[in-house]
Amino acid sequence: MADDDSTDLQPRADLNLTALRQRPVLEWRDARGPHAVEIDGRITLGSSENVGAVIGDRAVSRLHAELEVRKDGVWIRDLGSLNGAYVGGVLVQSAQVPLGKPFVLGSTQLQVTVSSQARSVPLWPEDHYGPLYGVSETMRELFIRLAQYAATDSPVLVHGETGTGKELVAEAIHEASARREEPFVVVDCAALPETLLESELFGHTRGSFTGATSGRTGAFESAQGGDGLFGRDRRAADLDAAEAPPRARVAHGAPHRRDRSATRQSAVHRGDASRLASDGRRRELP
């Protein structure tokens, strides 16, 4: 027997590059005819043209409800709609939707069925993506999506409970993007007093307000050409970068204007972003 007491590394099995999925399908009929939409994770239902399932019914709110695929089935959540969501004739705030059984939004009946054919879904070929690690099919399916987001300049909203890795997701997108050599600026809006939030985001110049003894570059300007990550709460929603005027370091003279198009503005949010939109506290999500 050899004297070497080291442990041999067990070779890892090759990762499969695809998975078969039978996704739930949402079906309904409205004034525009019959419709069928595959539910991939979660989908928002409403009369707005910007949601995943557009329902042609004047009794349906613009952002009416959300369907989410969970391990135990498909769940519906009302997003503060005017006329509510009914499952089995009962008004619900959140409930599981029985497959093949109708539920009602406004005056429209909908149902969830399961696709008869399994679809091949691509998986990330490695067990990590930037700072994120995961060998499961669910994680590697997520890595594929993150790679797709990283290839664009579109803003990204990451939402989830505390401790689920939202900031790491944003970091992974930045590291894989064409902006990787540019700044990655993080602002925890929830930790800032309301009186300092605007200055932190947009900056200020000396003398622009009482106590401003020196100038300060704001987060949007600091992240020029790169990515800005903003931890969101209700106060930050009031200063949404996509809606705010092109201001930064406004002083006694002409404002130093920032080029919003040069910086990708991404956010993490632990709450219900769809409900914020339906309540009018932030703009609709595309």
Side-chain angles (χ1 to χ4, degrees), residues 12-266:
R12 191 186 66 186
D14 291 337
L15 298 174
N16 55 318
L17 300 182
T18 60
L20 293 179
R21 295 279 191 271
Q22 281 186 293
R23 300 196 188 280
V25 176
L26 174 66
E27 301 175 344
W28 76 98
R29 178 183 291 272
D30 57 25
R32 291 182 275 191
H35 308 270
V37 176
E38 194 174 76
I39 307 173
D40 184 7
R42 67 176 66 197
I43 187 172
T44 303
L45 291 67
S47 59
S48 168
E49 294 296 329
N50 294 324
V51 300
V54 183
I55 303 173
D57 181 350
R58 293 182 59 84
V60 171
S61 299
R62 293 180 62 78
L63 297 175
H64 198 111
E66 181 182 73
L67 290 177
E68 180 181 8
V69 181
R70 303 180 186 175
K71 291 182 178 180
D72 57 349
V74 178
W75 285 70
I76 188 170
R77 186 164 52 92
D78 187 88
L79 297 177
S81 66
L82 179 63
N83 292 312
Y86 291 81
V87 177
V90 178
L91 178 65
V92 300
Q93 176 60 43
S94 177
Q96 187 173 12
V97 177
L99 293 179
K101 302 293 185 180
F103 64 96
V104 177
L105 303 182
S107 59
T108 302
Q109 284 196 350
L110 309 92
Q111 68 173 359
V112 176
T113 60
V114 177
S115 175
S116 58
Q117 292 184 339
R119 184 166 63 89
S120 179
V121 176
L123 303 176
W124 191 250
E126 301 180 50
D127 63 357
H128 64 279
Y129 183 78
L132 300 171
Y133 284 82
V135 72
S136 69
E137 291 183 354
T138 300
M139 286 299 294
R140 292 191 294 121
E141 188 176 350
L142 171 64
F143 295 163
I144 286 283
R145 293 190 183 187
L146 297 184
Q148 294 170 344
Y149 299 152
T152 74
D153 288 331
S154 299
V156 179
L157 174 63
V158 183
H159 59 95
E161 297 300 323
T162 300
T164 54
K166 299 184 294 295
E167 291 80 3
L168 290 178
V169 167
E171 184 180 339
I173 293 174
H174 174 75
E175 290 181 357
S177 73
R179 302 169 181 263
R180 67 178 69 87
E181 301 298 329
E182 302 299 332
F184 179 61
V185 177
V186 180
V187 180
D188 185 0
C189 297
L192 291 172
E194 187 171 358
T195 54
L196 297 180
L197 183 59
E198 185 170 355
S199 176
E200 181 73 24
L201 296 179
F202 301 107
H204 63 264
T205 58
R206 179 181 176 182
S208 57
F209 57 86
T210 303
T213 57
S214 61
R216 190 191 197 299
T217 301
F220 290 125
E221 188 177 352
S222 297
Q224 193 82 343
D227 285 305
L229 172 63
F230 305 96
R232 299 291 297 266
D233 68 356
R234 292 183 183 179
R235 291 171 301 169
D238 295 334
L239 288 172
D240 194 307
E243 294 177 332
R247 57 185 175 179
R249 294 195 289 159
V250 178
H252 303 297
H256 178 92
R257 295 183 179 270
R258 58 183 171 84
D259 180 5
R260 282 186 302 233
S261 63
T263 304
R264 172 163 49 193
Q265 301 148 4
S266 301

